[in-house]
CSV table of all heavy atoms in Angstrom, one decimal:
chain,number,residue,atom,x,y,z
A,70,THR,N,107.0,110.2,119.6
A,70,THR,CA,107.5,109.6,120.9
A,70,THR,C,108.6,110.4,121.5
A,70,THR,O,109.3,111.2,120.8
A,70,THR,CB,108.1,108.2,120.5
A,70,THR,OG1,108.6,107.6,121.7
A,70,THR,CG2,109.2,108.3,119.5
A,71,SER,N,108.8,110.3,122.8
A,71,SER,CA,110.0,110.9,123.5
A,71,SER,C,111.1,109.9,123.8
A,71,SER,O,112.1,110.3,124.3
A,71,SER,CB,109.5,111.6,124.8
A,71,SER,OG,108.6,112.6,124.5
A,72,THR,N,110.9,108.7,123.4
A,72,THR,CA,111.8,107.6,123.8
A,72,THR,C,112.9,107.5,122.7
A,72,THR,O,112.6,107.1,121.6
A,72,THR,CB,111.1,106.2,123.9
A,72,THR,OG1,110.2,106.3,125.0
A,72,THR,CG2,112.2,105.2,124.3
A,73,GLY,N,114.1,107.9,123.0
A,73,GLY,CA,115.2,107.9,122.1
A,73,GLY,C,116.1,106.7,122.1
A,73,GLY,O,117.0,106.5,121.3
A,74,THR,N,116.0,105.8,123.1
A,74,THR,CA,116.8,104.7,123.3
A,74,THR,C,116.0,103.5,123.7
A,74,THR,O,115.2,103.6,124.7
A,74,THR,CB,117.9,104.9,124.3
A,74,THR,OG1,118.7,106.1,123.9
A,74,THR,CG2,118.9,103.7,124.4
A,75,ASN,N,116.2,102.4,123.1
A,75,ASN,CA,115.5,101.1,123.5
A,75,ASN,C,116.2,100.7,124.8
A,75,ASN,O,117.4,100.3,124.8
A,75,ASN,CB,115.7,100.0,122.5
A,75,ASN,CG,115.0,98.7,122.8
A,75,ASN,OD1,114.9,98.4,124.0
A,75,ASN,ND2,114.5,98.0,121.8
A,76,PRO,N,115.4,100.7,125.9
A,76,PRO,CA,116.1,100.3,127.2
A,76,PRO,C,116.5,98.9,127.3
A,76,PRO,O,117.4,98.6,128.2
A,76,PRO,CB,114.9,100.6,128.2
A,76,PRO,CG,113.7,100.5,127.4
A,76,PRO,CD,114.0,101.0,126.1
A,77,ASN,N,116.1,98.0,126.4
A,77,ASN,CA,116.5,96.6,126.5
A,77,ASN,C,117.8,96.4,125.7
A,77,ASN,O,118.4,95.3,125.9
A,77,ASN,CB,115.4,95.8,125.9
A,77,ASN,CG,114.1,95.9,126.8
A,77,ASN,OD1,114.2,95.9,128.0
A,77,ASN,ND2,112.9,95.8,126.1
A,78,THR,N,118.1,97.3,124.7
A,78,THR,CA,119.3,97.0,123.9
A,78,THR,C,120.3,98.2,123.9
A,78,THR,O,121.4,98.0,123.5
A,78,THR,CB,118.8,96.8,122.4
A,78,THR,OG1,118.2,98.0,121.9
A,78,THR,CG2,117.9,95.6,122.3
A,79,GLY,N,119.8,99.4,124.3
A,79,GLY,CA,120.6,100.6,124.2
A,79,GLY,C,120.7,101.2,122.9
A,79,GLY,O,121.4,102.2,122.7
A,80,LYS,N,120.0,100.6,121.9
A,80,LYS,CA,120.1,101.1,120.5
A,80,LYS,C,119.2,102.3,120.4
A,80,LYS,O,118.1,102.5,121.0
A,80,LYS,CB,119.7,100.0,119.5
A,80,LYS,CG,120.7,98.9,119.4
A,80,LYS,CD,120.3,97.9,118.4
A,80,LYS,CE,121.3,96.8,118.2
A,80,LYS,NZ,121.0,95.8,117.2
A,81,ARG,N,119.6,103.2,119.4
A,81,ARG,CA,118.8,104.4,119.2
A,81,ARG,C,117.4,104.1,118.6
A,81,ARG,O,117.2,103.2,117.8
A,81,ARG,CB,119.6,105.3,118.2
A,81,ARG,CG,118.9,106.6,117.8
A,81,ARG,CD,119.8,107.3,116.8
A,81,ARG,NE,119.1,108.5,116.3
A,81,ARG,CZ,119.0,109.7,116.9
A,81,ARG,NH1,119.6,109.8,118.1
A,81,ARG,NH2,118.4,110.7,116.4
A,82,THR,N,116.5,104.9,119.1
A,82,THR,CA,115.1,104.8,118.5
A,82,THR,C,114.5,106.2,118.5
A,82,THR,O,115.2,107.2,118.7
A,82,THR,CB,114.2,103.8,119.3
A,82,THR,OG1,113.0,103.7,118.7
A,82,THR,CG2,114.1,104.3,120.8
A,83,GLY,N,113.2,106.3,118.3
A,83,GLY,CA,112.6,107.6,118.2
A,83,GLY,C,111.5,107.6,117.2
A,83,GLY,O,110.9,106.6,116.9
A,84,TYR,N,111.1,108.8,116.7
A,84,TYR,CA,110.0,108.9,115.7
A,84,TYR,C,110.6,108.9,114.3
A,84,TYR,O,111.8,109.3,114.1
A,84,TYR,CB,109.1,110.1,116.0
A,84,TYR,CG,109.8,111.4,115.5
A,84,TYR,CD1,109.6,111.9,114.2
A,84,TYR,CD2,110.6,112.1,116.4
A,84,TYR,CE1,110.3,113.1,113.8
A,84,TYR,CE2,111.3,113.3,116.0
A,84,TYR,CZ,111.1,113.8,114.7
A,84,TYR,OH,111.7,114.9,114.3
A,85,GLU,N,109.8,108.5,113.4
A,85,GLU,CA,110.3,108.4,112.0
A,85,GLU,C,109.9,109.7,111.3
A,85,GLU,O,108.8,110.1,111.2
A,85,GLU,CB,109.6,107.3,111.2
A,85,GLU,CG,109.9,105.9,111.8
A,85,GLU,CD,111.2,105.4,111.3
A,85,GLU,OE1,111.8,106.0,110.3
A,85,GLU,OE2,111.7,104.4,111.8
A,86,LEU,N,111.0,110.4,110.8
A,86,LEU,CA,110.8,111.7,110.2
A,86,LEU,C,109.8,111.6,109.0
A,86,LEU,O,108.9,112.5,108.9
A,86,LEU,CB,112.1,112.2,109.6
A,86,LEU,CG,112.0,113.4,108.6
A,86,LEU,CD1,111.6,114.7,109.4
A,86,LEU,CD2,113.3,113.6,107.8
A,87,THR,N,109.9,110.6,108.1
A,87,THR,CA,109.0,110.6,106.9
A,87,THR,C,107.6,110.5,107.3
A,87,THR,O,106.7,110.9,106.5
A,87,THR,CB,109.5,109.5,106.0
A,87,THR,OG1,109.3,108.2,106.7
A,87,THR,CG2,110.9,109.6,105.6
A,88,GLU,N,107.3,109.8,108.4
A,88,GLU,CA,105.9,109.6,108.8
A,88,GLU,C,105.3,110.9,109.4
A,88,GLU,O,104.1,111.0,109.5
A,88,GLU,CB,105.8,108.5,109.8
A,88,GLU,CG,106.2,107.2,109.2
A,88,GLU,CD,106.4,106.0,110.3
A,88,GLU,OE1,105.7,106.2,111.3
A,88,GLU,OE2,107.1,105.1,110.0
A,89,LEU,N,106.2,111.8,109.8
A,89,LEU,CA,105.7,113.1,110.3
A,89,LEU,C,105.6,114.2,109.1
A,89,LEU,O,104.6,114.8,108.9
A,89,LEU,CB,106.6,113.7,111.4
A,89,LEU,CG,106.3,115.1,111.9
A,89,LEU,CD1,104.9,115.2,112.5
A,89,LEU,CD2,107.3,115.5,112.9
A,90,SER,N,106.7,114.3,108.4
A,90,SER,CA,106.9,115.3,107.4
A,90,SER,C,105.8,115.3,106.3
A,90,SER,O,105.2,116.3,105.9
A,90,SER,CB,108.3,115.3,106.8
A,90,SER,OG,108.6,114.0,106.3
A,91,ARG,N,105.6,114.1,105.8
A,91,ARG,CA,104.7,113.9,104.7
A,91,ARG,C,103.2,114.2,105.1
A,91,ARG,O,102.5,114.9,104.4
A,91,ARG,CB,104.8,112.6,104.0
A,91,ARG,CG,106.2,112.3,103.5
A,91,ARG,CD,106.5,110.9,103.0
A,91,ARG,NE,107.9,110.7,102.8
A,91,ARG,CZ,108.5,109.7,102.3
A,91,ARG,NH1,107.7,108.7,101.9
A,91,ARG,NH2,109.8,109.6,102.1
A,92,ALA,N,102.9,113.7,106.3
A,92,ALA,CA,101.5,113.9,106.8
A,92,ALA,C,101.3,115.4,107.1
A,92,ALA,O,100.3,116.0,106.9
A,92,ALA,CB,101.3,113.0,108.0
A,93,TYR,N,102.4,116.0,107.7
A,93,TYR,CA,102.3,117.4,108.1
A,93,TYR,C,101.9,118.3,106.9
A,93,TYR,O,101.0,119.1,107.0
A,93,TYR,CB,103.7,117.8,108.6
A,93,TYR,CG,103.8,119.3,109.0
A,93,TYR,CD1,103.6,119.7,110.3
A,93,TYR,CD2,104.2,120.3,108.0
A,93,TYR,CE1,103.7,121.0,110.7
A,93,TYR,CE2,104.3,121.6,108.4
A,93,TYR,CZ,104.1,122.0,109.7
A,93,TYR,OH,104.2,123.3,110.1
A,94,TYR,N,102.5,118.1,105.7
A,94,TYR,CA,102.2,118.9,104.6
A,94,TYR,C,100.8,118.6,104.0
A,94,TYR,O,100.2,119.4,103.4
A,94,TYR,CB,103.3,118.9,103.6
A,94,TYR,CG,104.5,119.7,104.0
A,94,TYR,CD1,105.8,119.1,104.1
A,94,TYR,CD2,104.4,121.0,104.3
A,94,TYR,CE1,106.9,119.8,104.5
A,94,TYR,CE2,105.5,121.8,104.7
A,94,TYR,CZ,106.7,121.1,104.8
A,94,TYR,OH,107.8,121.9,105.2
A,95,VAL,N,100.4,117.3,104.1
A,95,VAL,CA,99.1,117.0,103.6
A,95,VAL,C,98.0,117.7,104.4
A,95,VAL,O,97.1,118.3,103.9
A,95,VAL,CB,98.8,115.5,103.7
A,95,VAL,CG1,97.3,115.1,103.5
A,95,VAL,CG2,99.6,114.7,102.6
A,96,PHE,N,98.2,117.7,105.7
A,96,PHE,CA,97.3,118.5,106.6
A,96,PHE,C,97.3,120.0,106.3
A,96,PHE,O,96.2,120.6,106.2
A,96,PHE,CB,97.6,118.2,108.1
A,96,PHE,CG,97.5,116.8,108.5
A,96,PHE,CD1,98.4,116.2,109.5
A,96,PHE,CD2,96.5,115.9,108.0
A,96,PHE,CE1,98.3,114.9,109.9
A,96,PHE,CE2,96.4,114.6,108.4
A,96,PHE,CZ,97.3,114.1,109.3
A,97,VAL,N,98.5,120.5,106.2
A,97,VAL,CA,98.6,122.0,105.9
A,97,VAL,C,97.9,122.3,104.5
A,97,VAL,O,97.2,123.3,104.5
A,97,VAL,CB,100.1,122.4,105.9
A,97,VAL,CG1,100.3,123.8,105.3
A,97,VAL,CG2,100.7,122.3,107.3
A,98,ALA,N,98.2,121.5,103.5
A,98,ALA,CA,97.6,121.8,102.2
A,98,ALA,C,96.1,121.8,102.2
A,98,ALA,O,95.5,122.5,101.4
A,98,ALA,CB,98.2,120.8,101.2
A,99,ASN,N,95.6,121.0,103.1
A,99,ASN,CA,94.1,120.8,103.2
A,99,ASN,C,93.5,121.7,104.2
A,99,ASN,O,92.3,121.5,104.6
A,99,ASN,CB,93.8,119.4,103.4
A,99,ASN,CG,94.0,118.5,102.1
A,99,ASN,OD1,93.1,118.5,101.3
A,99,ASN,ND2,95.1,117.9,102.0
A,100,GLY,N,94.2,122.7,104.7
A,100,GLY,CA,93.6,123.8,105.5
A,100,GLY,C,93.7,123.6,107.0
A,100,GLY,O,93.0,124.3,107.8
A,101,TYR,N,94.5,122.7,107.4
A,101,TYR,CA,94.6,122.4,108.9
A,101,TYR,C,96.0,122.8,109.4
A,101,TYR,O,97.0,122.5,108.8
A,101,TYR,CB,94.4,120.9,109.2
A,101,TYR,CG,93.0,120.5,109.0
A,101,TYR,CD1,92.5,120.0,107.8
A,101,TYR,CD2,92.1,120.6,110.0
A,101,TYR,CE1,91.2,119.7,107.6
A,101,TYR,CE2,90.7,120.3,109.9
A,101,TYR,CZ,90.3,119.8,108.6
A,101,TYR,OH,89.0,119.5,108.5
A,102,GLU,N,96.0,123.6,110.5
A,102,GLU,CA,97.2,123.9,111.2
A,102,GLU,C,97.7,122.7,112.0
A,102,GLU,O,96.8,122.1,112.7
A,102,GLU,CB,97.1,125.2,112.1
A,102,GLU,CG,98.4,125.6,112.7
A,102,GLU,CD,98.3,126.9,113.4
A,102,GLU,OE1,97.3,127.7,113.2
A,102,GLU,OE2,99.2,127.2,114.2
A,103,VAL,N,98.9,122.4,112.1
A,103,VAL,CA,99.4,121.3,112.8
A,103,VAL,C,100.2,121.7,114.0
A,103,VAL,O,101.2,122.4,113.9
A,103,VAL,CB,100.3,120.4,111.9
A,103,VAL,CG1,100.8,119.1,112.6
A,103,VAL,CG2,99.5,120.0,110.6
A,104,ASP,N,99.8,121.1,115.1
A,104,ASP,CA,100.7,121.3,116.4
A,104,ASP,C,101.4,119.9,116.6
A,104,ASP,O,100.8,118.9,116.3
A,104,ASP,CB,99.8,121.6,117.6
A,104,ASP,CG,99.2,123.0,117.5
A,104,ASP,OD1,99.9,123.9,116.9
A,104,ASP,OD2,98.2,123.3,118.1
A,105,ILE,N,102.6,120.0,117.1
A,105,ILE,CA,103.3,118.8,117.4
A,105,ILE,C,103.5,118.6,118.9
A,105,ILE,O,103.9,119.6,119.6
A,105,ILE,CB,104.7,118.8,116.7
A,105,ILE,CG1,104.5,119.0,115.2
A,105,ILE,CG2,105.5,117.6,117.0
A,105,ILE,CD1,105.8,119.2,114.4
A,106,ALA,N,103.2,117.4,119.4
A,106,ALA,CA,103.3,117.2,120.8
A,106,ALA,C,104.0,115.8,121.1
A,106,ALA,O,104.2,115.0,120.1
A,106,ALA,CB,101.9,117.1,121.5
A,107,SER,N,104.5,115.7,122.3
A,107,SER,CA,105.2,114.4,122.7
A,107,SER,C,105.0,114.2,124.1
A,107,SER,O,104.6,115.1,124.9
A,107,SER,CB,106.7,114.5,122.4
A,107,SER,OG,107.3,115.6,123.1
A,108,PRO,N,105.2,113.0,124.6
A,108,PRO,CA,105.0,112.7,126.1
A,108,PRO,C,105.7,113.7,127.0
A,108,PRO,O,105.2,114.2,128.0
A,108,PRO,CB,105.4,111.3,126.2
A,108,PRO,CG,105.1,110.7,124.9
A,108,PRO,CD,105.5,111.8,123.9
A,109,LEU,N,107.0,114.0,126.7
A,109,LEU,CA,107.8,114.8,127.6
A,109,LEU,C,107.9,116.3,127.1
A,109,LEU,O,108.3,117.1,127.9
A,109,LEU,CB,109.2,114.2,127.7
A,109,LEU,CG,109.3,112.8,128.3
A,109,LEU,CD1,110.8,112.4,128.3
A,109,LEU,CD2,108.7,112.8,129.6
A,110,GLY,N,107.5,116.6,125.9
A,110,GLY,CA,107.6,117.9,125.3
A,110,GLY,C,109.1,118.2,124.9
A,110,GLY,O,110.0,117.3,125.1
A,111,GLY,N,109.3,119.4,124.4
A,111,GLY,CA,110.7,119.7,123.9
A,111,GLY,C,111.0,119.0,122.7
A,111,GLY,O,110.2,118.5,121.9
A,112,GLU,N,112.3,118.9,122.3
A,112,GLU,CA,112.8,118.3,121.1
A,112,GLU,C,112.8,116.8,121.2
A,112,GLU,O,113.6,116.2,122.0
A,112,GLU,CB,114.2,118.8,120.7
A,112,GLU,CG,114.6,118.4,119.3
A,112,GLU,CD,115.9,119.0,118.8
A,112,GLU,OE1,116.5,119.8,119.6
A,112,GLU,OE2,116.3,118.8,117.7
Side-chain angles (χ1 to χ4, degrees):
T70 181
S71 292
T72 300
T74 303
N75 183 327
N77 297 322
T78 64
K80 292 184 177 179
R81 179 181 173 81
T82 185
Y84 74 91
E85 296 281 348
L86 168 70
T87 62
E88 296 171 23
L89 174 60
S90 54
R91 301 173 190 187
Y93 178 91
Y94 285 123
V95 168
F96 297 145
V97 169
N99 285 278
Y101 289 90
E102 184 171 346
V103 182
D104 290 334
I105 301 175
S107 62
L109 299 180
E112 185 171 5

